[in-house]
Amino acid sequence: MRPLIDLPRAVQAVNPPATAVDRALSLVRSRQIRAGQAPAIDFYPTGRSSPARLQPAREPAQGWIGRAGDLLRSGKISCVELLEDCLKRIEVSDSNYRAFVCLNERARSQALALDNELAQEQPRGPLHGIPISIKDIVDVAGMPTRAGSDAYLTRPLAHAEAVRMLVDAGCVVIGKTSAHEFALGMITPQSRNPHDPRRSPGGSSGGSAIAVAQKMGLGSVGSDTRGSIRIPASLTGVVGFKPTFGRVSVEGVLPLSWSMDHVGPLTRSVADASVMLDTMAGPGFCEFSGSDVSQLRVGAPEAGCEGADPEVESRFAEAVATVARLTGRVGEAKRPSVLDFSNAFAASLIVSRCEAAAYHRRLGLDRSKYWKQTLEQLEAADGISAVDYLDAQRLRAVLGAAMLQAFEDFDVLVMPTTLTTAPIIEEAAGLTWEVSRNVIPWSFIGFPAVSVPCGKTASGLPVGIQLVAPPLEEGSLVALGAAFEAAL
């Protein structure tokens, strides 16, 4: 089955960005949108607050964070020792991968203070003493935020809200991780994939994914606007969890697109992600790690594999067979279609780039220091009219309503996270469609989604399966993701 429009060739080239914008505009203008259709500005998805077909687990599954917490509370290791192990890994190998841009000079003293609290039998909870990293567009008090750019530098006095909640819960911030400049890209060109240094780790949260994959911490905080948590998670073989839009505060996070920006965790397991989300978004995630998933209705859209590399499609087919054993069956979902993916790709490009251009217009930075590719994207967006922006937002509302309707038949949709494995760095910019097509719709309409490793190719490159649920039903993703991991 061929796409209804030859969008891959239209938009895959990052350079020149003007071409991608022109083709996206042409696509949006060609779509039939009802004259009275309101735009999806200030977009906040609605839905149930808990999965309809699940009961909390009697014994929630335990991930690496849970195991480390048990060791800390039993006194078998200390917070300082756990931190030093991560710092040693950074010292030994990060020059090869470039996950970190700076380390936290106060991390050791913070770990020591947390050890003292444990000695006084005052644990803060499951995240007490757990070392994590933070993407370099997210503020950490006393540390520089550079957003991957020579043009930008702030030294915030306060943590971003999500970071504050994690630190208050006992996390130790190791340092800041590398990102595409201003998060305006789906690669992190300055960093290297730990499975093959010739290849891209994806982006824009590439450094966060590398840090987790290389055990330079037990978790990381990333951001996701058009797939920037799930893409690097899939390409490096870790878990990347994007919650429902608005679940996690973006206060203290440098904006890319205010109506599309999400914050979420990258971890080594779904259980670990649920622990972090319980703190960042409020309780209600961990209790579904280990739930019985036999009653979940799972659908696999045929279009999800359209254009996938053969080995990616093969690993995905094996993963679907595992999901079918867990849930009884996997049905065929009609939506999203190839047209839905194309619409989301084009309209989200217009919305995100317009909002980024508006933000950067007021920053007043020296644009001669911007990356060429970043500057060209912003300049291309400067020429988009308000009418086109609003039409893209109207198309977003149409797509969101259609996807809500698709979930009337299913609780979870499954598809490959990316259509290809980690690309060679020099070729990565030309594979935007292949790495982002399946992840973009869920950022655009704000539905929760998680990428979970589902095997490797013959050459050892990771493949990810993406699980998607309706708004506010992250519990279904936690339950099925944890069950899938256990089955593997």
Side-chain angles (χ1 to χ4, degrees), residues 346-421:
S348 68
L349 179 67
I350 293 170
V351 170
S352 63
R353 294 309 180 255
C354 282
E355 292 179 357
Y359 173 72
H360 279 264
R361 180 181 295 177
R362 299 301 179 187
L363 272 183
L365 301 178
D366 181 357
R367 292 200 174 192
S368 68
K369 296 181 178 180
Y370 282 27
W371 297 359
K372 180 176 182 288
Q373 186 248 345
T374 301
L375 185 58
E376 288 177 344
Q377 289 188 79
L378 296 173
E379 290 177 343
D382 282 338
I384 299 175
S385 72
V387 173
D388 288 320
Y389 171 79
L390 289 172
D391 267 350
Q393 288 282 18
R394 295 166 78 201
L395 191 55
R396 180 188 202 173
V398 172
L399 182 65
M403 291 304 101
L404 279 177
Q405 187 174 7
F407 277 104
E408 291 180 0
D409 297 322
F410 300 104
D411 302 303
V412 177
L413 295 179
V414 297
M415 62 200 72
T417 308
T418 59
L419 300 177
T420 185
T421 53

Side-chain angles (χ1 to χ4, degrees), residues 186 203-204 224-235 240 242 260 262 304 336 340-341 344-345 348 399 415-419 431-452 464-468:
M186 297 167 187
S204 60
D224 189 310
T225 303
R226 294 179 80 224
S228 290
I229 286 174
R230 290 156 292 147
I231 291 170
S234 177
L235 300 185
K242 183 199 76 65
M260 292 173 60
H262 301 67
D340 293 327
F341 285 122
F345 193 104
S348 68
L399 182 65
M415 62 200 72
T417 308
T418 59
L419 300 177
L431 293 171
T432 300
W433 169 266
E434 287 82 354
V435 301
S436 66
R437 189 203 69 176
N438 281 6
V439 296
I440 282 177
W442 318 114
S443 298
F444 192 42
I445 61 176
F447 288 21
V450 59
S451 179
V452 183
I465 182 175
Q466 181 178 218
L467 315 178
V468 185

Side-chain angles (χ1 to χ4, degrees), residues 77-91:
I77 60 172
S78 69
C79 301
V80 170
E81 289 171 335
L82 187 57
L83 172 65
E84 291 293 346
D85 180 68
C86 295
L87 291 173
K88 183 64 174 178
R89 293 175 186 274
I90 295 170
E91 179 185 358

Side-chain angles (χ1 to χ4, degrees), residues 222 224 229-230 233 238-244 248 262-267 269-270 273-274 277 285 448-452 467 473-479:
D224 189 310
I229 286 174
R230 290 156 292 147
V238 302
V239 171
F241 206 125
K242 183 199 76 65
T244 304
V248 177
H262 301 67
V263 172
L266 294 97
T267 57
S269 74
V270 174
S274 70
L277 284 170
F285 297 86
V450 59
S451 179
V452 183
L467 315 178
E473 295 197 28
E474 287 89 345
S476 295
L477 305 182
V478 171

